[in-house]
Amino acid sequence: MRKRSVGINIRVTVTEKKKVTMLARKCGLSLSEYLRQRALEYEPGGHPPTEVFDVLDRLDEIAESCSPTTSAEIGTCADRMRDLLIGGN
């Protein structure tokens, strides 16, 4: 279960929305996921299987229940895996 509960609203033109929607579809991503990846400096090239995101979400949950040091280590590893799997920097 995702813990995303905060929204970010932006205004775009009809043409901009069509273009961004097309780019998201081309990558096999929802509009929200495409915008999220772009905002986090990922270069979407395709959509990894849903299970990849489920595993990364689970790692974040595990990290939250650990000691601060262990949590930071797990968080760093999970972030690195995101970079490798999703195509980040």
Side-chain angles (χ1 to χ4, degrees):
M1 179 178 197
R2 295 189 188 258
K3 295 184 180 184
R4 295 184 181 120
S5 60
V6 179
I8 299 173
N9 298 306
I10 62 168
R11 297 271 181 205
V12 295
T13 66
V14 172
T15 302
E16 289 170 330
K17 183 175 181 184
K18 285 180 182 179
K19 182 176 181 181
V20 175
T21 301
M22 181 215 39
L23 291 168
R25 189 175 300 128
K26 196 174 184 181
C27 292
L29 301 172
S30 67
L31 181 58
S32 293
E33 185 60 30
Y34 180 81
L35 292 172
R36 186 178 302 109
Q37 287 188 22
R38 295 297 301 181
L40 296 173
E41 299 182 2
Y42 296 122
E43 182 67 42
H47 187 53
T50 304
E51 293 80 11
V52 169
F53 295 102
D54 293 342
V55 168
L56 292 171
D57 288 344
R58 183 68 182 123
L59 284 173
D60 289 336
E61 290 172 11
I62 291 168
E64 289 174 7
S65 67
C66 294
S67 69
T69 303
T70 304
S71 179
E73 291 173 6
I74 293 172
T76 299
C77 290
D79 289 344
R80 181 70 183 126
M81 284 190 284
R82 277 185 189 84
D83 289 345
L84 293 170
L85 292 168
I86 301 173
N89 299 329

